[in-house]
């Protein structure tokens, strides 16, 4: 996993709530056996028509919007546990997803892939959408060490939560498997003492 | 202070604590399938490590397998590759695989319980969100991503933050024709598809106690559709009777010891939940969904909300959803024609579901022009259905019992609903494109689906039973 550094970037706004992982990456694109290349089919059915032509009204097809931060409506990433959703978003080039609410499994999957989910208040989310609508070059700054997200050029800022363990993992680019394997003696100890019938 | 069922099972599995909210949990059983495991095995390879406890993982290909002619090679190249990758990986790492045609093959959440692998008090995970199904036995069971699949393969453990707990109590008696599927669709319609996010749910109350294990599994299965990490039901005599005698369940003296332990698995009277919800079974009617997430459900006699009833920020998504479905605010679904009926999936493809469907359709005929897919949840369900003559009843009505798999629940194989067509489905998700690009899904119980198959329309099953 890559180390996570502070991100300062313009944003791609997706003001739709309840975006489920079937929309992020439809099931028919889950047939690969590697982790790469899912970005091509990110939001496939919203992004392309049935003939594979880009739909002009979808934000990823609007060249005026770009950046490493995806900002989406409430309850992002619900539904299927497919980690392919996080892979697709990361593969496309996003480093951060901002929403006022994330589905649990999606949040875990993102953190396990160096993609930072930042949960903000409904009001802050609305302010981001408003500012970006008024000026597409609006930038956000996401500082993981300080756990803050701010809208550049304004005094609007909020802090966000993340567990201390996951934060350390992201900042250092290491993952759960490394950590648990360092504790292997505890696993063996647990197995010795666990309930058996 | 007393403990909840969830806390008891969780605490029994803590290997060590990581930070204020995170523990390393020991995992008793791990299920894998062909779609979310290949990258996990590739990860092990890259790290140069093996599977720590291969005997605690069970594999089956279910998501993209065809549901006819399973004895022939899979035609679709990418699906065939995923299935052969699974076989290869299982052989290489010594993982038990129930492949196509094996008598134990089936949808992963159907075979675990029916083989007795799923037992009360366990921790069970799988790279699939409907792992919550196994919670019906009083287990902590939840879906994980592929990195976590790799984690469990490598360490038999999982690093997890502890969710909050929620109690959902349903008391009273269900009316005739109202099934456990209606209970869960009703609850989700009340609290929305994100109302359970951050929580682990325990279902209780007299309406839950009176349900069979199959019906309880349907409820726990859909916990994830309210955003909950999982759902569980305290084990009782119904649970013990179900588990007893199954292939991998403890036998004889060990079974008695197990039951003695399982009887300690309940929430203490003074246990504290972070949230509690109460419902009356009498308020629940047959349900249908009208939108593109499972929280968008109404009673079959009800109407779609008016735009004025939707919050300001929700209006755009609401209209996008209705637009996709071809419905209007304020409309009723009752009497609308359907093109497809899908009876299957890990929500409702157990033998009890097929029995109920068969009993209802016996002597009736399928409506003209409706396509019906009946997919058993497993090879064992299929076998039992044939033994009981359910396949014949289906044939006489104009349906055909196919072979097991996920099928049109997610449309990864050939079983897809064509663009723009309506499908009443016993599965668990009505997301855009879930059953095929452009497909329009209406979630309902197996009886409601069977009724629509006969009448060709959304029907109130209570008028027919
Ligand atoms: S039947 Fe549907 S919900 Fe169940 S495991 Fe298969 S794809 Fe997932």
């Amino acid at each position: 996993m890559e180390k996570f550094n502070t991100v300062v970037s313009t944003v791609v706004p997706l003001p739709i709530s309840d975006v489920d992982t079937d929309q992020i990456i439809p099931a028919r694109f889950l047939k690969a056996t590697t982790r790469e290349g899912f970005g091509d089919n990110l939001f496939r059915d919203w992004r392309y028509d049935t003939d594979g032509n880009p739909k002009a009204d979808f934000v990823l097809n609007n060249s005026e919007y770009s950046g490493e931060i995806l900002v989406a409506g409430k309850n992002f990433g619900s539904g299927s546990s497919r980690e392919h959703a996080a892979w697709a978003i990361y593969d496309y080039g996003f480093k951060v997803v901002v929403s006022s609410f994330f589905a649990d499994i999606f949040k875990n999957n993102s953190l396990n892939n160096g993609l930072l989910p930042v949960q903000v208040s409904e009001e802050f989310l609305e302010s981001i959408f408003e500012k970006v609508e008024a000026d597409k070059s609006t930038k956000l700054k996401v500082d993981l060490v300080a756990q803050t997200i701010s809208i550049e050029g304004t005094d609007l800022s909020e802090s966000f939560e993340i567990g201390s363990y996951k934060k350390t993992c992201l900042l250092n680019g290491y993952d759960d498997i490394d950590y648990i394997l360092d504790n292997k003696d505890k696993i063996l100890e647990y197995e010795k003492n666990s309930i058996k019938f | 202070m007393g403990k909840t069922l969830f806390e008891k099972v969780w605490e029994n599995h803590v290997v060590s604590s990581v930070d204020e909210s995170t523990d390393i949990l020991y995992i008793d059983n791990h299920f894998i399938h062909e779609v979310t495991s290949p990258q996990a095995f590739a990860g092990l390879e890259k790290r140069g490590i093996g599977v720590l406890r291969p005997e605690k993982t069970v594999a089956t290909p279910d998501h993209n397998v065809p549901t006819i002619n399973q004895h022939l090679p899979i035609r679709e190249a990418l699906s065939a590759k995923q299935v052969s990758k699974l076989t290869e990986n299982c052989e290489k790492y010594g993982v038990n695989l129930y492949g196509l045609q094996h008598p134990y093959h089936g949808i992963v959440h159907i075979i675990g319980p029916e083989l007795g692998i799923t037992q009360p008090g366990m921790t069970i995970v799988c790279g699939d969100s409907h792992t919550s199904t196994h919670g019906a036995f009083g287990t902590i069971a939840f879906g994980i991503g592929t990195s976590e699949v790799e984690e469990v393969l490598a360490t038999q453990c999982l690093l997890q933050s502890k969710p909050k707990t929620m109690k959902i109590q349903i008391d009273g008696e269900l009316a005739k024709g109202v099934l456990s599927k209606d209970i869960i669709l009703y609850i989700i319609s009340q609290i929305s598809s994100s109302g359970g996010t951050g929580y682990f749910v325990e279902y209780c109350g007299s309406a839950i106690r009176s349900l069979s294990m199959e019906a309880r599994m349907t409820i726990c299965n859909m916990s994830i559709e309210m955003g909950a990490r999982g759902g569980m039901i305290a084990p009782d005599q119904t649970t013990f009777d179900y588990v007893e005698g199954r292939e991998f369940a403890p036998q004889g003296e060990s079974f008695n010891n197990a039951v003695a332990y399982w009887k300690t698995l309940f929430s203490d009277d003074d246990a504290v939940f972070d949230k509690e919800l109460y419902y009356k079974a009498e308020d629940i009617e047959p349900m249908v969904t009208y939108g593109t997430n499972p929280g968008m459900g109404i009673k079959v006699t009800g109407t779609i909300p008016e735009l004025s009833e939707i919050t300001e920020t929700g209006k755009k998504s609401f209209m996008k959803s209705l637009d996709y479905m071809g419905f209007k605010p304020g409309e009723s679904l009752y009497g609308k024609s359907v093109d497809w009926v899908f009876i299957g999936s890990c929500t409702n493809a157990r033998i009890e579901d097929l029995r109920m469907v068969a009993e209802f359709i016996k002597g009736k005929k399928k409506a003209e022009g409706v396509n019906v897919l009946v997919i058993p949840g497993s090879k064992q369900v299929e076998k039992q259905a044939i033994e009981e003559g359910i396949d014949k009843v289906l044939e006489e009505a104009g349906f055909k019992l196919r072979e097991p798999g996920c099928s049109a629940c997610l449309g990864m194989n050939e079983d897809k609903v064509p663009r723009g067509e309506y499908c009443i489905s016993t599965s668990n998700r009505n997301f855009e494109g879930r059953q095929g690009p452009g497909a329009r899904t209406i979630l309902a119980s197996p009886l409601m689906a069977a009724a629509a198959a006969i009448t060709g329309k959304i029907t109130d099953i209570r008028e027919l039973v």
Side-chain angles (χ1 to χ4, degrees):
Chain A
M1 198 166 85
E2 271 177 53
K3 287 185 188 177
F4 188 96
N5 294 313
T6 297
V7 172
V8 181
S9 167
T10 50
V11 315
V12 176
L14 188 65
I16 296 171
S17 49
D18 302 314
V19 175
D20 59 77
T21 52
D22 273 75
Q23 307 318 315
I24 299 173
I25 182 96
R28 60 188 194 282
F29 299 108
L30 305 184
K31 295 189 179 181
T33 49
T34 60
R35 285 175 183 243
E36 292 75 34
F38 287 101
D40 294 345
N41 293 310
L42 175 65
F43 295 116
R44 176 75 202 198
D45 293 334
W46 288 352
R47 194 166 147 200
Y48 298 103
D49 66 16
T50 42
D51 300 322
N53 301 313
K55 293 184 187 175
D57 60 352
F58 188 64
V59 66
L60 291 192
N61 297 323
N62 185 342
S63 57
E64 293 178 357
Y65 293 104
S66 65
E68 296 184 327
I69 304 177
L70 176 67
V71 183
K74 192 180 175 192
N75 192 27
F76 188 80
S78 58
S80 161
S81 59
R82 59 189 69 162
E83 192 165 317
H84 312 65
W87 298 339
I89 294 172
Y90 193 78
D91 190 57
Y92 185 88
F94 292 112
K95 299 273 188 290
V96 177
V97 189
V98 180
S99 175
S100 57
F101 202 72
F102 288 97
D104 288 330
I105 305 181
F106 176 80
K107 200 192 283 179
N108 276 351
N109 287 341
S110 300
L111 289 167
N112 285 337
N113 286 280
L115 175 70
L116 180 66
V118 174
Q119 186 163 326
V120 296
S121 67
E122 301 255 349
E123 300 75 51
F124 194 76
L125 187 69
E126 278 313 308
S127 328
I128 301 177
F129 286 137
E130 277 165 26
K131 291 274 183 268
V132 175
E133 193 175 291
D135 177 5
K136 298 182 178 66
S137 67
T138 303
K139 283 186 176 169
L140 294 185
K141 178 176 179 187
V142 177
D143 183 337
L144 178 56
V145 176
Q147 293 180 223
T148 54
I149 174 167
S150 34
I151 306 177
E152 295 264 279
T154 73
D155 54 6
L156 295 172
S157 180
E158 242 186 33
S159 59
F160 61 87
E161 282 183 32
I162 181 167
S164 55
Y165 165 78
K166 277 291 169 196
K167 181 173 169 180
T168 317
C169 284
L170 279 176
L171 289 171
N172 296 293
Y174 58 65
D175 67 19
D176 294 355
I177 299 184
D178 303 330
Y179 182 89
I180 303 177
L181 285 177
D182 280 346
N183 287 278
K184 196 160 169 192
D185 51 330
K186 292 194 182 131
I187 304 175
L188 302 179
E189 185 66 24
Y190 175 89
E191 285 182 330
K192 223 167 48 203
N193 299 327
S194 66
I195 308 161
K196 287 171 203 74
F197 306 121
Chain B
M1 195 175 73
K3 285 180 182 162
T4 64
L5 167 63
F6 175 81
E7 285 161 344
K8 288 181 183 177
V9 180
W10 181 281
E11 283 167 16
N12 272 341
H13 290 86
V14 173
V15 170
S16 80
S17 289
V18 178
D19 66 17
E20 58 291 350
S21 61
T22 318
D23 291 322
I24 298 181
L25 272 194
Y26 194 80
I27 301 302
D28 294 317
N29 270 313
H30 180 209
F31 294 102
I32 58 172
H33 61 80
E34 77 279 24
V35 178
T36 57
S37 68
Q39 293 88 349
F41 282 107
L44 291 183
E45 185 127 354
K46 209 164 143 198
R47 289 171 202 264
I49 54 176
V51 176
L52 183 67
R53 299 281 175 252
E55 70 281 7
K56 290 184 189 283
T57 293
V58 169
T60 194
D62 53 2
H63 278 64
N64 64 25
V65 299
T67 54
I68 43 169
N69 294 327
Q70 287 187 344
H71 59 289
L72 299 177
I74 300 176
R75 280 197 310 217
E76 212 264 321
L78 290 172
S79 302
K81 185 168 169 212
Q82 277 191 331
V83 173
S84 65
K85 252 287 169 272
L86 182 69
T87 312
E88 223 175 85
N89 285 328
C90 288
E91 276 168 10
K92 180 166 168 196
Y93 292 97
V95 169
N96 206 353
L97 168 75
Y98 299 130
L100 285 179
Q101 296 291 90
H102 189 285
Y104 294 165
H105 170 251
I107 303 174
V108 60
H109 311 308
I110 304 247
I111 68 169
E114 80 184 359
L115 290 170
I117 298 172
T118 303
Q119 296 162 24
M122 288 181 155
T123 45
I124 297 182
V125 297
C126 171
D128 189 284
S129 55
H130 294 98
T131 309
S132 59
T133 313
H134 308 261
F137 292 78
T139 69
I140 292 183
F142 54 92
I144 55 177
T146 298
S147 297
E148 293 172 316
V149 171
E150 184 183 337
E151 191 173 324
V152 178
L153 289 171
T155 68
Q156 203 55 41
C157 290
L158 200 58
L159 230 140
Q160 282 294 299
S161 55
K162 198 168 170 180
K164 291 181 281 188
T165 55
M166 187 194 299
K167 167 164 118 174
I168 301 185
Q169 182 168 333
I170 306 115
D171 286 308
E173 235 176 278
L174 290 175
K176 201 165 165 52
V178 180
L179 304 182
S180 70
K181 180 66 164 284
D182 300 305
I183 299 183
I184 190 67
L185 284 173
Y186 175 76
I187 296 172
I188 304 169
S189 77
Q190 299 296 303
I191 72 171
S192 92
S193 63
S194 60
T197 305
Y199 291 92
F200 215 98
V201 175
E202 179 179 344
Y203 304 96
C204 59
S206 60
I208 299 292
R209 286 275 144 250
S210 66
L211 297 174
S212 67
M213 283 317 292
E214 283 87 348
R216 293 179 189 183
M217 285 188 248
T218 301
I219 292 192
C220 290
N221 174 276
M222 291 192 70
S223 305
I224 182 74
E225 306 311 335
M226 56 176 105
R229 208 70 183 81
M232 63 203 305
I233 295 173
D236 58 10
Q237 200 54 46
T238 306
T239 322
F240 311 145
D241 291 345
Y242 180 97
V243 175
E244 187 169 15
R246 291 185 186 263
E247 173 92 36
F248 296 99
Q251 313 286 340
E253 191 50 32
S254 318
F255 182 76
N256 297 336
N257 294 341
V259 170
Y261 167 61
W262 295 343
K263 284 186 171 164
T264 66
L265 301 174
F266 55 85
S267 289
D268 298 327
D269 286 340
D270 55 344
V272 180
F273 292 84
D274 296 300
K275 190 170 182 174
E276 298 185 13
L277 297 171
Y278 295 86
Y279 298 104
K280 287 210 266 312
E282 289 75 17
D283 292 341
I284 303 174
E285 289 180 23
M287 298 286 295
V288 285
T289 60
Y290 61 88
T292 54
N293 74 57
M296 302 173 87
I298 48 174
K299 296 174 177 176
V300 65
T301 53
T303 52
I304 298 173
E306 295 289 354
L307 193 57
S308 57
E309 296 168 54
I310 306 296
T311 61
E312 213 38 56
T313 47
K315 282 197 164 92
K316 191 170 171 188
S317 306
F318 176 74
M319 284 317 292
K320 182 176 187 303
S321 177
L322 288 195
D323 204 40
Y324 180 88
M325 291 300 291
F327 294 145
K328 291 186 199 63
E331 236 186 341
S332 161
L333 260 55
Y334 180 86
K336 288 224 181 265
S337 26
V338 297
D339 310 291
W340 289 77
V341 176
F342 174 62
I343 297 174
S345 89
C346 56
T347 317
N348 282 120
R350 282 170 282 269
I351 188 67
E352 183 180 279
D353 300 305
L354 297 191
R355 269 188 207 134
M356 239 175 343
V357 168
E359 195 190 325
F360 170 75
I361 62 163
K362 196 164 189 161
K364 302 186 178 77
K365 284 263 178 279
K366 177 176 87 70
E368 199 71 27
V370 177
N371 301 286
V372 183
L373 282 172
V374 188
I375 316 285
S378 70
K379 213 64 196 162
Q380 291 207 69
V381 171
E382 181 192 341
K383 180 165 169 261
Q384 204 169 342
I386 293 169
E387 278 167 16
E388 294 179 19
I390 290 174
D391 58 328
K392 294 278 168 327
V393 174
L394 294 176
E395 262 163 49
E396 278 156 25
F399 320 155
K400 199 174 149 21
L401 181 69
R402 295 169 68 125
E403 291 171 277
C406 295
S407 177
C409 173
L410 89 167
M412 268 190 95
N413 70 352
E414 296 83 355
D415 308 342
K416 289 185 182 58
V417 175
R419 183 173 297 278
E421 298 196 358
Y422 290 97
C423 177
I424 182 162
S425 176
T426 68
S427 58
N428 43 44
R429 285 188 174 142
N430 50 354
F431 297 151
E432 281 186 36
R434 173 79 178 180
Q435 299 196 285
R440 292 162 160 169
T441 303
I442 296 164
L443 301 176
S445 79
L447 276 179
M448 287 288 285
I454 300 301
T455 62
K457 297 193 278 267
I458 305 283
T459 311
D460 186 345
I461 180 69
R462 290 171 301 179
E463 295 165 8
L464 301 174
V465 291

